[in-house]
Amino acid sequence: MRNCLKSKPIESGRMSGVSPRPTHRKRVVIWIERVLLGSGLTLLAIYGLARMDSIFSSQAAIRSLAALDSPAVAVGLDESEDVDPGATDFSLWDKKRVQDYKESVRKHLRVPLAVLQITKLQLEVPVFDGTDDLTLNRGVGRIPGTGRPGEQGNIGLAGHRDSFFRGLKDIAMGDAIGLKTLKGTDTYRVDRLQIVAPEDVDVLRPRSVPSLTLVTCYPFYFIGSAPQRFIVTASLTREKSVSGNLTPGSLSQTSSSIRRNENE
């Protein structure tokens, strides 16, 4: 009976009709929540602007190489052209890579060595010489010491896993890879997929047939510095398409006519 008659104490705030003042801890929590909300909205706005800013893209470099593919243009591959940029699909890209890419396209870069295209992955990207940060923010880079596009040997190309080479996660054996230069289009067929340690450089050694090796970090969605490398090796097919008018998308018209080398 005594327990039943006990009543709960009434808070002084409720009795007086005045709400209790927030403690210092509550004020800090509220301030942190507002900061996080503001930061989130800022990042969202940056990402939205990056998407809208897709006109700053690798297609500018592709068109600069196309401008050289004309008898009227008598310049070397080390000169730059003032061309209109195209569009790049950022849907699979990491947000930071989008920002780095936008900064890189505003800086001077040489006309690309070639254009790499994998039709299955809807990938068309300029190939530059070297693998520094500025180069890889705008395209893919030829690894020093490997073959050069349009020549014999094993051509090693590196790209970021969270930008241009993100799509390599869907590549498969037998897929066609086009590499177009001013000399024409070489088509390769994927014949090996590997996951190796970063120090394993044997994958870049010359093979018995002219080859193309694509290198990117792995796992594709790993947070931080990825511990492995994803390697795509492809062999040159028999035929070569003679260069005509080099324009974005032109590789897709030639790759289907290339037969695989019977001596692979």
Side-chain angles (χ1 to χ4, degrees), residues 11-14 17-23 26:
E11 297 179 3
S12 58
R14 293 181 180 178
V18 179
S19 300
R21 298 179 62 184
T23 63
K26 288 182 179 180

Side-chain angles (χ1 to χ4, degrees), residues 156-173:
L157 302 181
H160 285 310
R161 64 189 168 101
D162 50 7
S163 58
F164 291 107
F165 274 180
R166 175 82 88 189
L168 290 185
K169 62 186 178 61
D170 298 319
I171 203 165
M173 298 286 289

Side-chain angles (χ1 to χ4, degrees), residues 193-235:
L193 301 174
Q194 304 177 74
I195 298 173
V196 303
E199 60 271 14
D200 186 356
V201 296
D202 288 341
V203 295
L204 298 175
R205 295 184 182 279
R207 306 170 72 210
S208 59
V209 294
S211 304
L212 174 67
T213 300
L214 308 182
V215 181
T216 193
C217 295
Y218 184 86
F220 288 98
Y221 293 95
F222 188 85
I223 299 176
S225 181
Q228 296 173 301
R229 300 293 180 265
F230 186 79
I231 309 296
V232 177
T233 305
S235 297

